[in-house]
Amino acid sequence: AVQEVDVGRPRSRGDDQLTYLAHELGLHCLFAPSVVNGEERYGHGLLSTHPLSLVTQVRLPTGGSRVIEPRDALHASMTLGGQTVSVITTHLGLAYPERFAQVARLLADDFLGGIPPGQPALFLGDLNFAPGGRLYRQLVADWSRGSAHPLFRDVQAHAPGHTAVKTFPSFLPVRQLDHIFVSSQFKILAVHSPANLLTRRASDHLPLVADLELPHA
C-alpha cells in the first residue's frame, strides 16, 4: 500500500508514479484517486504480485473538520490458492473528528462490514493514529461475535518476539502511524521496518513490512 501518489502532476514531472513502480517491479497495481484536476490525479494505491480487482472505492467524510485534502478508501480483492482475499487501504485525515467519522464509515456494512466473516482480509495504510486509542480499539475489536466484521489483529502486537517499531517521521521515528491489520486467517511470521538512507529519502514515513502466511493458499 502506498500513499500520496501523483499522476500527471508538474511537481513530479508528470509521472504516473504507481504505474512506474509496478512496471519496474513487475507488479500489478490499482490506483484510487482522491483529487482529480484535469489530467492530474493524486491519491493512494496498491501494488501486488497477484492481479487486483476493484471491489469499491468510497469517499470518506470530514467529520465537520476543515480538511487539507479529501480522503478515500480502496477495497480490492485478489485470489490466493483459490481463496478470495480482501485488501483494503486508506490514508486517514489529520484531525481527530475527521478520523472518527472516517473509521465509522470504514466499519459500515457496505465496506468492512460487508466482508464475509470467513474471508481473509488485510487492512493497511497511513492511519494517522497511534495504537491504544479509541479508533485503534474499534479496528481490533472482536467483531466476529454477532457481527459481519472480520476480526482484525495488529501485526505489530501479534508477531512472535517482535518489539513494535515506529515509522514517523522517517529521519527520527517517534510515532506508530502506519499499520497493517489482518484477519484471523493469517499467521503473522515477522514484522520489520527498513530504515536506511534510501527509505528515509523516499518518504517522511518508514515502510512497514509484515511476513504473513495464509494456510491452504
Side-chain angles (χ1 to χ4, degrees):
V2 289
Q3 294 82 45
E4 300 185 11
V5 176
D6 283 352
V7 177
R9 303 189 77 186
R11 70 175 185 177
S12 49
R13 304 179 304 277
D15 290 343
D16 181 337
Q17 294 180 322
L18 193 66
T19 300
Y20 171 81
L21 289 172
H23 179 265
E24 290 295 307
L25 298 170
L27 300 175
H28 302 273
C29 66
L30 193 61
F31 179 55
S34 297
V35 176
V36 178
N37 181 18
E39 297 299 316
E40 298 181 27
R41 303 285 189 274
Y42 169 80
H44 57 274
L46 295 166
L47 294 159
S48 172
T49 55
H50 301 273
L52 294 160
S53 299
L54 176 65
V55 177
T56 187
Q57 177 181 340
V58 299
R59 175 57 49 93
L60 299 179
T62 66
S65 299
R66 184 178 179 181
V67 300
I68 298 174
E69 62 188 56
R71 309 279 180 166
D72 285 65
L74 173 66
H75 180 185
S77 67
M78 61 183 179
T79 301
L80 291 176
Q83 298 185 75
T84 299
V85 177
S86 285
V87 187
I88 303 98
T89 185
T90 191
H91 183 188
L92 297 185
L94 298 177
Y96 181 81
E98 185 181 7
R99 294 194 300 275
F100 183 86
Q102 290 168 349
V103 169
R105 178 66 185 89
L106 290 169
L107 291 172
D109 289 342
D110 65 344
F111 204 69
L112 292 180
I115 300 173
Q119 181 172 309
L122 303 165
F123 175 50
L124 60 167
D126 176 2
L127 304 185
N128 274 317
F129 60 67
R134 179 178 180 180
L135 302 181
Y136 174 89
R137 294 196 304 271
Q138 284 184 283
L139 290 167
V140 299
D142 187 352
W143 296 106
S144 62
R145 297 180 180 179
S147 171
H149 294 294
L151 170 61
F152 280 118
R153 293 174 297 154
D154 179 355
V155 297
Q156 293 232 59
H158 291 273
H162 174 69
T163 300
V165 294
K166 298 175 175 62
T167 55
F168 178 83
S170 58
F171 62 89
L172 184 63
V174 295
R175 301 189 69 190
Q176 286 178 247
L177 300 182
D178 305 280
H179 301 276
I180 300 174
F181 297 107
V182 299
S183 61
S184 58
Q185 292 84 3
F186 286 94
K187 182 178 180 181
I188 303 166
L189 304 178
V191 179
H192 57 107
S193 180
N196 53 50
L197 180 60
L198 180 59
T199 58
R200 290 187 170 100
R201 289 183 61 189
S203 173
D204 60 340
H205 292 242
L206 291 175
L208 183 64
V209 183
D211 298 327
L212 307 171
E213 180 181 309
L214 184 60
H216 313 301

